[in-house]
């Protein structure tokens, strides 16, 4: 086993979270390897993020691609086992709660390689969410657990995780946002996409909203109704693209469908939005810091700090349009400040813990 840190990333949120950690460890002189699983393989969901976020090119791209949860996770396990066996890192660092995260943690644990989990302790308490299954399992396997908020630390303590393994460090996704904030050109993005001065941004990709044709049709109906009150721009995630189009979303007045966007382009639209409608965890966090009102089309969130400290509100399909109308009438005041430690220094804190751990255990 050598002294390197091997990072496993596979999706847009992983890239955004990993960038400040990789940069901070690089500044500390740490040897690193970056493995891209290819879970997001569309250039607009993958390659452009590496360029815009300043991430180094992956040392390995496994190119696993999409599939059912079982098939994708199985393919990831096989590919990652080979990679970890060959490279024998001192530590495997995983991000978030996607299938790449679970597969990397499980493959590393089976090989006796310690795991660090960035964004540990988040809980929606909804076991129908594949992400909830993933994050709970990864936290049981991890040696180092990096929490973004105090309630995440509390969840881990109640689950019996040794508190000595848990570190409250803040949110590396917000590091990335603050680093690139001046690049987010809201006016330019609005003009480029032909949007009116007031518009909303929509992102939907959770299975509960898009996998079942009936669920996708229900989402399309409520978005169509919402677009009567506010033009909505919808960058279509590969997951759910066909279902939402089939449900007629493309034909609705006031709906502007886009292909997936890069980080800067998407965040430029979000920064200038009157409101955001989403089922994404990361977008809930980003809108909280930007002070943009967010309506989350879910009944639970693993990021309750965005509700208590931010502008986020959970809504059902039936509640969405009334909530949007309230926002348009001036009912969405921005918070006075963001959550604790969401200050742009999370990557440095994580790097400090990792380098200290490597000195003791490397």
């Amino acid at each position: 086993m050598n002294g390197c840190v091997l990072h496993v990333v596979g999706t847009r949120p992983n890239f955004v979270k990993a960038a400040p950690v990789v940069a901070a460890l690089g500044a500390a002189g740490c040897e690193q390897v970056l493995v891209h699983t290819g879970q997001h393989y569309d250039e607009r969901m993958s390659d452009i993020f590496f360029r815009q976020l300043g991430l180094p090119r992956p040392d390995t791209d496994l190119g696993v691609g999409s599939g059912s949860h079982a098939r994708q996770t199985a393919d990831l396990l096989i590919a990652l086992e080979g990679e970890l066996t060959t490279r024998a890192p001192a530590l495997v660092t995983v991000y978030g709660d996607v299938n790449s995260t679970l597969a990397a943690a499980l493959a590393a644990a089976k090989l006796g390689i310690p795991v660090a989990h960035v964004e540990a302790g988040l809980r929606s308490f909804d076991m129908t969410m594949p992400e909830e299954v993933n994050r709970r399992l990864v936290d049981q396997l991890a040696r180092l657990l990096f929490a973004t908020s105090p309630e995440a630390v509390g969840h881990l303590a109640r689950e019996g995780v040794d508190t000595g393994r848990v570190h409250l460090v803040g949110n590396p996704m917000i590091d990335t946002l603050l680093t690139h904030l001046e690049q987010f050109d809201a006016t330019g993005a609005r003009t480029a996409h032909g949007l009116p001065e007031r518009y909303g941004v929509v992102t939907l990709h959770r299975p509960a909203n898009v996998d079942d044709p009936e669920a996708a049709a229900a989402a399309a109906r409520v978005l169509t109704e919402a677009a009567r009150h506010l033009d909505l721009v919808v960058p279509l995630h590969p997951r759910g693209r066909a279902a939402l189009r089939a449900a007629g979303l493309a034909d609705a007045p006031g709906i502007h469908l886009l292909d997936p966007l890069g980080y800067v382009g998407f965040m430029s639209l979000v920064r200038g939005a009157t409101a955001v409608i989403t089922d994404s965890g990361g977008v809930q966090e980003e809108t909280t810091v930007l002070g943009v009102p967010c309506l989350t089309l879910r009944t639970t969130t693993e990021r309750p700090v965005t509700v208590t400290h931010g502008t986020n509100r959970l809504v059902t399909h039936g509640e969405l349009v009334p909530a949007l109308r309230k926002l348009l009438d001036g009912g969405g005041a921005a918070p006075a400040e963001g959550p604790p430690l969401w200050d742009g220094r999370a990557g440095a804190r994580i790097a400090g813990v990792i380098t200290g751990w490597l000195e003791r255990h490397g």
Side-chain angles (χ1 to χ4, degrees):
M1 184 176 290
N2 61 45
C4 84
V5 175
L6 187 146
H7 306 268
V8 177
V9 296
T11 66
R12 170 198 180 272
N14 290 171
F15 312 147
V16 179
K17 295 162 193 169
V21 179
V22 171
L25 285 171
C30 181
E31 181 185 354
Q32 302 180 82
V33 172
L34 185 62
V35 174
H36 180 12
T37 67
Q39 185 173 334
H40 275 177
Y41 51 88
D42 188 302
E43 192 275 341
R44 290 161 298 192
M45 299 294 286
S46 180
D47 291 354
I48 191 171
F49 281 84
F50 284 87
R51 295 196 301 270
Q52 292 185 344
L53 300 178
L55 276 167
R57 299 303 305 167
D59 296 278
T60 302
D61 188 337
L62 299 176
V64 170
S66 61
S68 70
H69 286 289
R71 181 176 295 278
Q72 186 180 67
T73 304
D75 290 344
L76 287 162
L77 277 168
I78 294 168
L80 286 164
E81 181 185 57
E83 191 71 18
L84 297 179
T85 301
T86 300
R87 295 191 182 272
L91 184 71
V92 172
T93 304
V94 299
Y95 300 83
D97 52 24
V98 297
N99 287 341
S100 295
T101 307
L102 173 62
L106 185 56
K110 292 280 190 177
L111 293 170
I113 302 172
V115 173
H117 184 201
V118 175
E119 205 178 66
L122 298 184
R123 298 290 182 269
S124 69
F125 302 101
D126 179 1
M127 291 299 288
T128 67
M129 292 179 63
E131 297 88 351
E132 181 76 357
V133 176
N134 291 347
R135 62 175 75 102
R136 285 174 176 266
L137 293 174
V138 172
D139 284 342
Q140 292 300 314
L141 297 171
R143 185 80 59 87
L144 296 173
L145 297 100
F146 296 111
T148 61
S149 61
E151 65 268 18
V153 176
H155 296 328
L156 294 168
R158 284 188 290 274
E159 291 169 10
V161 175
D162 179 359
T163 56
R165 293 156 49 198
V166 180
H167 304 269
L168 178 60
V169 294
N171 192 335
M173 178 170 273
I174 302 308
D175 290 19
T176 298
L177 185 152
L178 295 176
T179 296
H180 296 273
L181 186 61
E182 295 307 312
Q183 298 178 42
F184 302 156
D185 180 3
T187 301
R190 177 171 57 82
T191 302
H193 297 294
L195 300 171
E197 186 172 350
R198 300 182 81 191
Y199 65 90
V201 174
V202 178
T203 72
L204 294 180
H205 73 281
R206 298 284 179 184
N209 280 325
V210 300
D211 275 14
D212 178 73
E214 289 187 8
R221 283 194 298 271
V222 73
L223 291 176
T224 297
E225 185 180 353
R228 298 191 183 111
H229 305 279
L230 181 71
D231 277 46
L232 299 177
V233 57
V234 189
L236 282 176
H237 192 284
R239 184 188 195 106
R241 180 187 299 161
L244 289 172
R245 283 188 176 276
L249 191 61
D251 303 320
I255 296 286
H256 307 257
L257 296 187
L258 302 179
D259 287 329
L261 298 171
Y263 179 72
V264 172
F266 176 72
M267 292 308 303
S268 295
L269 281 175
V270 170
R271 188 179 192 182
T274 300
V276 169
I277 300 168
T278 190
D279 59 11
S280 162
V283 173
Q284 295 174 54
E285 296 176 333
E286 291 160 338
T287 51
T288 289
V289 172
L290 291 172
V292 176
C294 181
L295 299 173
T296 298
L297 200 58
R298 290 168 50 184
T299 57
T300 62
T301 180
E302 64 284 351
R303 293 164 169 89
V305 70
T306 65
V307 177
T308 56
H309 283 79
T311 60
N312 188 28
R313 176 182 169 185
L314 300 180
V315 294
T316 64
H317 287 81
E319 295 168 337
L320 176 60
V321 173
L324 178 62
R325 293 182 66 179
K326 181 178 179 180
L327 287 177
L328 296 177
D329 290 337
E337 59 183 23
L341 298 183
W342 290 22
D343 57 1
R345 297 286 299 161
R349 294 186 192 100
I350 293 168
V353 174
I354 288 176
T355 54
W357 186 90
L358 289 172
E359 290 172 0
R360 296 189 299 276
H361 299 91

